Amino acid sequence: MALLLFSLLAAPAAAQQHPAALTLPEVIALALDQSAVARQAQTTRDQGYWQWRTYQATYRPQLGVQGTLPGFSRVITPVVQPDGTTDFRAVRINNSNLALTLSQNLGLTGGQVVVASEVQRFDDFNGRLRRYNNQPLALGLTQPIGRFNELRWNRRLEPLRYQESQRQYVEEREIIMQRITELYFDVVQQQVNAEVAGQNVQANEELLRIGQERYRLGRLSQSDLLRLELNLLTARQAVAQSQLDAQDAALRLQRYTGLRPADAPLAVPEAAPAPPVLPATALDQARQNRAAVLAFRRRLLEAEREVALARGTTGFQATLTANLGYVNQASNLWETYAALQNQQQVRLTFALPVVDWGRQKSILKTAELTRRQVQADVAQEEAAFEADVQVQAAQLGTLARQLALAARADTLARRRYDIAQATYKVGRISLTDLTLALGEKDQARRAYIQALRAAWVGHYRLRALTLYDFERQQPLTE
């Protein structure tokens, strides 16, 4: 990129019409397609999508097979005898099992329902014994009581996280576009500096030639001749410095966007779009589209979740487990299906702290204070968020007017310099007046590029703050 910029700097006028020159939209499109920051934003979005898929799968039936095949064991193991003594016996057994389970989480209560079928086979090779234990059908329920219901809170939080990740992706792309615009104009600014410096070198060379002729004729003082030589040296120094600055700016743009060196030079953009935007309208769109709005809600819910977690992990806690089904055992697998027997199991386990020296109260109080702090932080950030959107929308029209004024000043300054240069050549104004006109021309050109940069950056910044395209009147999230 830097080598092509050098060729651009050597012929600035031709470079503006060079067919290979890239425009700002083209650079943005290329960077969004191939830059590392764009790929990182896409990866983050994809991670949010797969986390959402994981959440959805949690609420769907889970079918699984589990077992132990084989469970062979050949060891010497201690065996308690009827008289209470221990004898060591050599055993050679196989204890295998295979189970098919279908489970479903209950988001409303935080419990789980399981339907299972299991068969177990036991072989005693030393005793030539084989037994089957078959449970063709079993229905089980596990229900926490007084515990934290993570499934219920995930149902409230995960949709927000997913929507936030998708909106965040769009917002990050807009922020990337804003940053590319800033880097793009860094290069353009140096191109313009180089163009101005190159034109000044040519003009000062011509003025020095005329001044030397006048000095030989005694119509120019030595002081003015030296001033002309100094102006030429200053212009040449400006060319060298602008080349270095252009190289640095081009490398920064290249590193951020991933553009190849052949992607330069860059064209000076037209004026940025400046549709009329009311601050209230911009704020409405920001509230509808921005990921930050969802993030505020998510953070408040997470703070509430921590309070519920503190309550659900302290105090009274219990778990109800119930199972019913059919079971039978026999020496032959098919015989286990005859004369099946009913099987029921009900169990309630609980824990209740009696004396905890204020532990439960401390945990709950900490969570509540954290929630209060989060609420205060969110309120403050929300106010700052609204102020940023409204200020940026209000500034958009001002930036457009400043750009129009800077463009007019640039045109007038160039015309004034052309007139001053022609007037100096016929000896009707002083060198000081010409130098002032030259400085005003250069300053006006740089001011125009800076105003153009501010207008384009403001355009993309408002898009990033609202996720809305006011030029096409449509949300960017679509």
Side-chain angles (χ1 to χ4, degrees):
M1 178 180 285
L3 294 177
L4 287 175
L5 278 175
F6 290 154
S7 64
L8 166 72
L9 300 176
Q16 294 296 331
Q17 302 175 356
H18 198 284
L22 288 174
T23 64
L24 177 59
E26 290 173 342
V27 171
I28 289 176
L30 289 172
L32 291 178
D33 180 63
Q34 64 190 34
S35 67
V37 288
R39 289 194 297 268
Q40 182 180 358
Q42 185 173 1
T43 300
T44 303
R45 180 200 62 178
D46 294 342
Q47 289 174 343
Y49 169 75
W50 288 110
Q51 289 173 358
W52 168 252
R53 290 287 302 271
T54 302
Y55 154 76
Q56 288 182 314
T58 305
Y59 291 87
R60 293 173 181 171
Q62 306 293 314
L63 180 64
V65 177
Q66 59 188 22
T68 303
L69 292 173
F72 178 78
S73 178
R74 182 177 183 178
V75 297
I76 295 178
T77 183
V79 179
V80 179
Q81 302 301 304
D83 60 358
T85 61
T86 299
D87 191 12
F88 293 94
R89 300 289 181 87
V91 296
R92 188 161 60 97
I93 62 173
N94 174 63
N95 194 353
S96 303
N97 71 296
L98 182 66
L100 178 66
T101 61
L102 178 65
S103 62
Q104 173 66 58
N105 290 324
L106 305 176
L108 183 62
T109 64
Q112 185 182 63
V113 175
V114 179
V115 179
S117 178
E118 182 178 5
V119 60
Q120 182 179 5
R121 170 175 168 172
F122 176 78
D123 296 283
D124 185 350
F125 299 105
N126 292 335
R128 299 181 182 277
L129 175 67
R130 175 180 297 171
R131 301 297 294 177
Y132 287 91
N133 184 37
N134 190 8
Q135 192 176 22
L137 178 64
L139 177 63
L141 170 66
T142 302
Q143 178 58 57
I145 301 174
R147 293 181 182 271
F148 173 71
N149 188 349
E150 184 174 2
L151 294 174
R152 175 174 172 269
W153 281 99
N154 285 345
R155 185 180 290 274
R156 301 176 65 183
L157 283 168
E158 290 302 328
L160 287 177
R161 290 194 179 108
Y162 173 66
Q163 296 177 40
E164 183 183 350
S165 68
Q166 302 308 299
R167 293 187 185 183
Q168 186 65 38
Y169 169 70
V170 180
E171 186 172 339
E172 287 178 358
R173 284 173 62 90
E174 293 299 319
I175 293 174
I176 290 172
M177 294 164 69
Q178 177 185 334
R179 180 56 182 158
I180 292 172
T181 302
E182 294 171 348
L183 295 173
Y184 183 97
F185 274 96
D186 287 345
V187 178
V188 170
Q189 183 73 63
Q190 301 309 323
Q191 287 182 189
V192 170
N193 289 342
E195 177 184 359
V196 169
Q199 293 172 352
N200 290 343
V201 167
Q202 296 176 1
N204 281 297
E205 287 176 344
E206 176 65 17
L207 292 175
L208 179 60
R209 184 187 63 79
I210 296 174
Q212 289 172 341
E213 293 179 358
R214 291 180 178 178
Y215 178 73
R216 285 193 296 268
L217 297 174
R219 297 170 54 189
L220 185 69
S221 66
Q222 186 178 14
S223 175
D224 286 347
L225 180 63
L226 293 176
R227 179 66 179 273
L228 289 173
E229 293 181 1
L230 181 60
N231 289 345
L232 178 58
L233 291 176
T234 302
R236 287 173 177 172
Q237 289 176 343
V239 169
Q241 184 62 46
S242 62
Q243 289 177 345
L244 294 176
D245 294 340
Q247 183 181 16
D248 292 340
L251 290 176
R252 288 195 298 271
L253 178 63
Q254 179 183 343
R255 284 196 299 267
Y256 188 82
T257 61
L259 297 178
R260 299 180 300 275
D263 292 333
L266 308 178
V268 177
E270 299 293 334
V277 180
L278 295 176
T281 303
L283 183 57
D284 289 340
Q285 293 299 331
R287 287 171 175 168
Q288 295 178 29
N289 305 320
R290 280 285 300 278
V293 177
L294 297 177
F296 294 151
R297 293 169 52 191
R298 173 184 55 79
R299 289 167 59 189
L300 293 175
L301 275 177
E302 287 176 343
E304 296 288 347
R305 178 187 181 276
E306 292 302 314
V307 175
L309 178 61
R311 290 173 177 161
T313 53
T314 58
F316 176 79
Q317 299 181 50
T319 301
L320 174 65
T321 304
N323 292 280
L324 59 88
Y326 299 94
V327 65
N328 197 5
Q329 59 86 27
S331 59
N332 184 281
L333 177 61
W334 303 113
E335 294 177 359
T336 60
Y337 288 95
L340 291 170
Q341 304 175 29
N342 292 330
Q343 175 180 271
Q344 301 90 22
Q345 292 179 331
V346 177
R347 180 174 59 186
L348 177 65
T349 61
F350 67 91
L352 177 63
V354 179
V355 178
D356 64 357
W357 306 104
R359 176 179 176 272
Q360 177 182 351
K361 181 179 179 181
S362 299
I363 294 175
L364 183 58
K365 192 64 175 179
T366 300
E368 290 175 346
L369 290 174
T370 301
R371 177 182 59 183
R372 187 183 305 172
Q373 183 62 47
V374 170
Q375 291 172 344
D377 292 343
V378 167
Q380 183 177 3
E381 292 175 19
E382 190 172 7
F385 162 83
E386 295 177 355
D388 287 344
V389 174
Q390 291 177 315
V391 168
Q392 188 62 40
Q395 289 180 348
L396 200 63
T398 303
L399 293 174
R401 291 190 293 271
Q402 288 180 339
L403 177 59
L405 293 174
R408 179 61 176 164
D410 180 41
T411 301
L412 295 176
R414 280 186 291 176
R415 289 177 57 187
R416 179 176 181 275
Y417 174 71
D418 292 339
I419 295 173
Q421 188 179 35
T423 307
Y424 175 78
K425 289 180 180 180
V426 297
R428 295 179 57 185
I429 63 172
S430 66
L431 179 59
T432 301
D433 294 334
L434 178 63
T435 303
L436 290 175
L438 174 63
E440 291 173 356
K441 174 184 73 72
D442 295 349
Q443 181 60 32
R445 184 60 178 169
R446 296 188 183 99
Y448 169 72
I449 297 299
Q450 291 172 357
L452 187 62
R453 171 196 174 117
W456 274 104
V457 171
H459 167 70
Y460 283 116
R461 176 166 170 75
L462 184 61
R463 283 168 55 106
L465 287 175
T466 61
L467 294 190
Y468 189 82
D469 188 344
F470 291 96
E471 185 180 9
R472 296 181 176 86
Q473 298 294 313
Q474 64 182 19
L476 299 173
T477 51
E478 293 181 356

